[in-house]
Amino acid sequence: MTGINVEFDFSEVHQFTVELENATADVMKNVKKAVSTSAYRGRQAWIRSARRRAGTHLPGYPTSVDYDSVKVIDGSAETELGPNLARNQGPLGIVEDAPGGVNATPQRNYEAAERVIEQDLVRGILIAIGDGIGDS
């Protein structure tokens, strides 16, 4: 069996990375799919949460939440999830943490996304590794 070291990096709130050392191309293809699926599900959770809190002031903000395509570089699959600054009201993502000077309550919609990703990504990676190495 190939020695595979799996490392999850959740240190950045809106970025997540999966690193696999000595992974085969099949495993990395499956990992890329798992990361993409988790990002999609996290995006959906973020949008649902943002819709509940957007009110009349931020009607376009929820649909500004997006994720980048998954990049695989040197055994690392990563993507970034959050408000897309190029989309309608995406620059208003400041409401997530509402730092000083902003007259708003922090929404922290990303926490809904984090909960979904945390559960889904681990399950997806385990499946990706099992399928990629043929459960040997």
Side-chain angles (χ1 to χ4, degrees):
M1 181 171 147
T2 306
I4 297 178
N5 177 29
V6 180
E7 180 181 322
F8 299 99
D9 180 4
F10 290 105
S11 61
E12 294 292 324
V13 173
H14 307 299
Q15 183 174 357
F16 54 99
T17 305
V18 175
E19 293 184 24
L20 296 172
E21 295 177 4
N22 304 321
T24 66
D26 287 341
V27 169
M28 285 309 295
K29 183 179 96 177
N30 292 344
V31 166
K32 183 178 178 180
K33 183 177 178 181
V35 170
S36 182
T37 299
S38 292
Y40 174 79
R41 290 179 178 155
R43 175 182 180 258
Q44 296 304 103
W46 192 326
I47 288 171
R48 282 190 303 273
S49 179
R51 280 193 177 131
R52 285 192 296 272
R53 296 180 176 148
T56 58
H57 299 295
L58 297 170
Y61 173 67
T63 57
S64 75
V65 176
D66 200 2
Y67 65 96
D68 296 335
S69 60
V70 178
K71 298 176 191 109
V72 177
I73 302 169
D74 296 329
S76 176
E78 63 185 44
T79 188
E80 191 168 336
L81 170 66
N84 183 334
L85 300 180
R87 286 187 159 180
N88 185 26
Q89 293 190 326
L92 298 177
I94 194 168
V95 300
E96 290 297 330
D97 287 318
V102 175
N103 189 15
T105 302
Q107 292 189 10
R108 295 190 177 97
N109 297 303
Y110 56 81
E111 292 174 346
E114 288 174 346
R115 286 189 294 273
V116 169
I117 291 168
E118 197 171 47
Q119 295 170 2
D120 190 68
L121 187 58
V122 171
R123 185 174 48 250
I125 295 300
L126 292 174
I127 292 169
I129 292 171
D131 288 350
I133 61 175
D135 294 323
S136 54

